[in-house]
Amino acid sequence: MRLTDPVADMLARIRNAANARHQKVDIPASKLKAEIARILKEEGYIANFKATEEEGHKVLRVYLKYGSNNEAVISKLERVSRPGCPRLCAALRPFRACWAVWESIS
């Protein structure tokens, strides 16, 4: 199955897993997704991540981070730009999808 927006798929999987209170989520791996996970870890939004291989496919395993009272650190992910209405985001080129992580409890 081919995805049209793999970054959106990655962030949707993380959001859904956090809402379902999972400890980890598996995402099809790529270099771009690994770099996004690295940045999310550096900023304190996820606990950890690692690249593994399951059944012949490369997988990026993301371990989610929760605060007190089992509240997810990432509580809301929202797309800032749309394909027909691009907005500039810091350090990103125009006409690329921008994502913002909102309402962190860290």
Side-chain angles (χ1 to χ4, degrees):
M1 182 175 156
R2 183 163 184 189
L3 298 174
T4 56
D5 193 354
V7 175
D9 177 62
M10 174 188 180
L11 295 175
R13 287 177 190 233
I14 291 172
R15 181 187 62 233
N16 293 341
N19 288 341
R21 301 289 187 253
H22 292 292
Q23 294 299 316
K24 63 183 178 178
V25 60
D26 290 340
I27 301 165
S30 73
K31 291 179 184 178
L32 175 66
K33 293 176 190 177
E35 284 300 308
I36 291 171
R38 182 186 61 80
I39 292 169
L40 288 174
K41 182 180 180 211
E42 284 178 2
E43 295 295 324
Y45 292 111
I46 62 173
N48 204 358
F49 72 96
K50 70 176 183 177
T52 61
E53 189 168 327
E54 288 188 5
E55 300 174 7
H57 298 287
K58 292 182 182 178
V59 174
L60 188 67
R61 182 163 289 158
V62 177
Y63 296 93
L64 302 176
K65 187 175 184 179
Y66 294 94
S68 59
N69 299 329
N70 201 25
E71 295 175 6
V73 172
I74 297 176
S75 60
K76 182 178 179 182
L77 285 172
E78 181 178 280
R79 188 173 185 143
V80 176
S81 68
R82 302 281 179 212
C85 181
R87 295 183 187 158
L88 293 175
C89 292
L92 291 177
R93 296 182 196 144
F95 304 110
R96 291 202 180 170
C98 291
W99 287 82
V101 179
W102 296 95
E103 298 179 14
S104 171
I105 62 167
S106 61

